[in-house]
Amino acid sequence: MPTGRKFITENPGKSARYALSAIAPFISAYIIFFVELDPNNPAVTNTLAVAVLMALWWITEVIPLAITSLLPIVLFPALGIMNGREVSSTYFNHVIFLFIGGFLVALAIQKWGLHKRIALKILRIIGSSPGRILLGFMFATAFLSMWISNTATAMLMVPILISIITKLEEINGKDLVKHFAVGLLLCIAYSASIGGIATLVGTPPNLSFARIFYIYFPNAPEISFATWFFYAFPISLVLFLVLFGYLYLIFVKRKKNWKSLSKGEILNDYEKLGKKNFEEKVLLIAFAALAFLWFFRADIVIGEVAIPGWSNWFNYPQFFNDGTVAIFVAVVLFMIPSKTQPGTFLMDWKAAEEIPWEIILLFGGGFALASGFKESGLSMWFGHQLEWLSGLHPLVLILCICFLVTFLTEITSNTATVETLLPILAGLAVSIETNPLLFMLPATIAGSLAFMLPVATPPNAIVFGSKRISVIQMAKTGFFLNIIGIILVSIITYYFGTFIFDIAEGAFPEWAQIDN
């Protein structure tokens, strides 16, 4: 979801958002003084009040997301929820450094233009007919967003796409290209989100899940980069195929009298980049090394098959995490001199200043809120209120969770939505004695699968900002994908995710038994 006041002032619901933001503190005050969830533990009620205030301010975005995320530092100590020192420490952890390290590598790739070479290379290989152009941009976007944030990927791909659309308009005329252009723009937005779910670093909700899950269940098996990939990549792949078929039928199949973009024009754009320089070669190696080190850091165990991780070469393999790897590769980039620009390095602090600190603080606020839910007992309180759901089949519960998260994310920040709901789902799972992963995993994925509105995800907003697509066009196309996403995530989680994470139906793992 886009951040900042500028976007809000351009939204038609501006007045309602400002009004809701203004009354949010009064709603929280009412909860504190007139609601009593647990007579023996006022911290439960106070935590709910803070959660409501943060959720409403996150939804409206009148107050910047980062500033709202800092509220627990002040309110948790003031309301007797958590010690100020403890809540402050939740804002920086290994997940945050995983994000920082990954983003530093991504910024280096952007600095030297490697992303453009990758995108154009993919287009050259796949082809230049309408269907192939669609597939090329989808593949390039999805692939890049697995390693670079989906927001950055969309921002990188849209200018490349606009140049291709302009050339198509010159060949075929604007009227003939207009409909196809909408499909291309949507493929960027949707592919960025779909590709992002495949890896832990692809989209912020994935990282939020990794940290919140650890906060609640520190004794649980680690959710490593490889483990997440084995679970999420099949979902990403199936959604990618569905998306291509769907967009092809709507925007490509009925085209007549169409003149394709010549391979020569794509080749010309590629050749303008010149030969691959020293910096791009080193970054390509660093990029591949980072993916390899992430993937094979921890032991990979699938059924009876086990692949030992490289961390076992060290005396204390448990001391390593994915954040360690990301920071290591990022630091190395600051040490390698540039040949194209003597006296500089592959990465410098000027480029590093582009790190989205607002998202980092948003992470921290979500982690602090999750800690508050746990320490106060609010998550368990919610779980007890929802114990009646224990009679439902797990697949039905997963469907309901995915539906709620997907459509809630259409109007709220996907990261904020996931960070608010995951603690509740953790408490629900413990209360009905179900493996928490069965609820928390699909909720996290669903947070990235809102395709209907510009405000749903950052890629949607970036594409909408091209002014070549209307809200109605996005909503009509995205509704079907929302429903398909909900169904696919639920089914794959229930039938495949249970195998990857060794989830036995009806069995409540020992590591999930937290104190009430």
Side-chain angles (χ1 to χ4, degrees):
M1 185 174 180
T3 59
R5 298 168 186 264
K6 181 179 178 182
F7 186 84
I8 296 170
T9 57
E10 295 172 354
N11 248 353
K14 179 181 68 173
S15 299
R17 287 171 179 258
Y18 273 93
L20 183 58
S21 177
I23 65 173
F26 296 99
I27 296 174
S28 295
Y30 176 84
I31 293 173
I32 292 172
F33 293 110
F34 299 104
V35 175
E36 192 175 64
L37 301 181
D38 184 347
N40 300 317
N41 186 5
V44 172
T45 304
N46 293 343
T47 305
L48 177 63
V50 176
V52 168
L53 176 61
M54 293 178 68
L56 292 176
W57 277 5
W58 271 338
I59 290 170
T60 60
E61 289 193 80
V62 173
I63 306 299
L65 292 179
I67 300 305
T68 299
S69 302
L70 294 174
L71 288 177
I73 295 177
V74 178
L75 296 181
F76 278 11
L79 296 173
I81 299 169
M82 283 182 69
N83 178 287
R85 181 178 298 176
E86 293 175 356
V87 70
S88 298
S89 67
T90 64
Y91 281 76
F92 265 81
N93 48 68
H94 72 280
V95 174
I96 293 296
F97 284 104
L98 171 60
F99 180 82
I100 292 174
F103 216 92
L104 286 172
V105 175
L107 288 171
I109 289 172
Q110 295 173 43
K111 177 183 177 182
W112 297 102
L114 179 60
H115 62 286
K116 293 180 181 178
R117 188 178 296 276
I118 293 172
L120 290 172
K121 184 71 172 179
I122 290 171
L123 283 175
R124 281 185 61 193
I125 294 172
I126 291 180
S128 57
S129 66
R132 289 174 179 268
I133 291 174
L134 177 67
L135 179 61
F137 273 103
M138 282 184 58
F139 184 82
T141 304
F143 175 75
L144 287 174
S145 67
M146 288 170 61
W147 313 102
I148 302 173
S149 78
N150 53 12
T151 305
T153 301
M155 291 176 67
L156 299 173
M157 292 300 295
V158 167
I160 299 173
L161 175 60
I162 294 298
S163 67
I164 298 294
I165 290 174
T166 302
K167 290 182 179 179
L168 289 172
E169 290 174 340
E170 292 172 358
I171 299 171
N172 297 280
K174 290 187 177 181
D175 290 339
L176 190 60
V177 175
K178 185 177 181 180
H179 185 63
F180 180 53
V182 170
L184 288 176
L185 286 164
L186 289 176
C187 93
I188 295 291
Y190 298 161
S191 299
S193 294
I194 288 173
I197 67 175
T199 64
L200 272 178
V201 297
T203 187
N206 298 357
L207 292 169
S208 296
F209 159 78
R211 178 57 183 169
I212 291 173
F213 181 71
Y214 177 77
I215 288 173
Y216 271 81
F217 310 107
N219 297 320
E222 180 193 8
I223 307 297
S224 68
F225 185 92
T227 308
W228 177 273
F229 182 83
F230 283 124
Y231 159 67
F233 180 73
I235 298 175
S236 182
L237 179 61
V238 174
L239 284 172
F240 181 91
L241 296 174
V242 170
L243 175 64
F244 175 71
Y246 181 56
L247 294 182
Y248 184 87
L249 287 174
I250 296 176
F251 297 101
V252 178
K253 190 175 181 180
R254 299 177 183 177
K255 291 233 159 282
K256 296 179 180 179
N257 303 319
W258 177 272
K259 295 180 182 178
S260 299
L261 189 68
S262 70
K263 289 186 177 180
E265 289 174 291
I266 296 176
L267 179 60
N268 185 51
D269 282 348
Y270 185 82
E271 289 180 342
K272 285 180 181 178
L273 297 175
K275 291 184 178 180
K276 197 179 298 178
N277 57 33
F278 168 79
E279 291 78 11
E280 289 179 272
K281 291 177 182 177
V282 173
L283 283 170
L284 201 56
I285 294 172
F287 183 68
L290 179 61
F292 179 87
L293 292 173
W294 269 339
F295 205 88
F296 293 102
R297 175 185 59 81
D299 296 347
I300 299 174
V301 180
I302 303 177
E304 301 298 323
V305 180
I307 302 174
W310 57 260
S311 60
N312 291 319
W313 299 344
F314 295 84
N315 292 332
Y316 302 97
Q318 70 275 17
F319 285 6
F320 289 89
N321 57 59
D322 291 329
T324 308
V325 174
I327 293 297
F328 166 71
V329 175
V331 169
V332 169
L333 295 181
F334 281 86
M335 301 166 62
I336 301 176
S338 167
K339 287 188 177 180
T340 306
Q341 300 177 13
T344 65
F345 294 84
L346 262 63
M347 192 59 182
D348 54 41
W349 188 248
K350 183 177 180 181
E353 288 176 347
E354 297 299 319
I355 289 176
W357 296 106
E358 182 178 36
I359 299 299
I360 290 176
L361 288 176
L362 177 59
F363 279 156
F367 301 154
L369 191 60
S371 297
F373 267 64
K374 180 183 179 183
E375 295 301 322
S376 69
L378 179 59
S379 61
M380 291 306 303
W381 182 88
F382 270 116
H384 290 314
Q385 308 312 305
L386 297 171
E387 282 181 345
W388 60 273
L389 294 172
S390 60
L392 295 178
H393 191 279
L395 183 57
V396 175
L397 271 174
I398 295 171
L399 280 165
C400 292
I401 290 168
C402 289
F403 185 90
L404 171 65
V405 175
T406 296
F407 284 96
L408 187 59
T409 302
E410 290 288 356
I411 56 172
T412 65
S413 160
N414 55 357
T415 306
T417 299
V418 168
E419 291 185 340
T420 303
L421 291 180
L422 285 184
I424 297 173
L425 295 176
L428 169 62
V430 173
S431 293
I432 65 177
E433 297 191 344
T434 298
N435 193 310
L437 288 170
L438 205 56
F439 298 159
M440 298 176 76
L441 286 169
T444 303
I445 298 291
S448 297
L449 300 182
F451 302 115
M452 290 179 62
L453 298 178
V455 297
T457 63
N460 286 14
I462 291 165
V463 165
F464 185 73
S466 69
K467 299 183 179 178
R468 287 174 171 264
I469 185 171
S470 68
V471 175
I472 294 298
Q473 288 172 319
M474 183 176 285
K476 286 172 62 178
T477 308
F479 178 76
F480 170 78
L481 292 172
N482 275 16
I483 300 301
I484 291 297
I486 290 168
I487 294 171
L488 284 176
V489 170
S490 300
I491 291 175
I492 292 176
T493 298
Y494 185 72
Y495 290 104
F496 179 71
T498 50
F499 169 71
I500 293 296
F501 292 98
D502 193 25
I503 301 173
E505 186 173 344
F508 187 54
E510 291 185 9
W511 52 259
Q513 298 176 14
I514 61 177
D515 296 331
N516 292 341

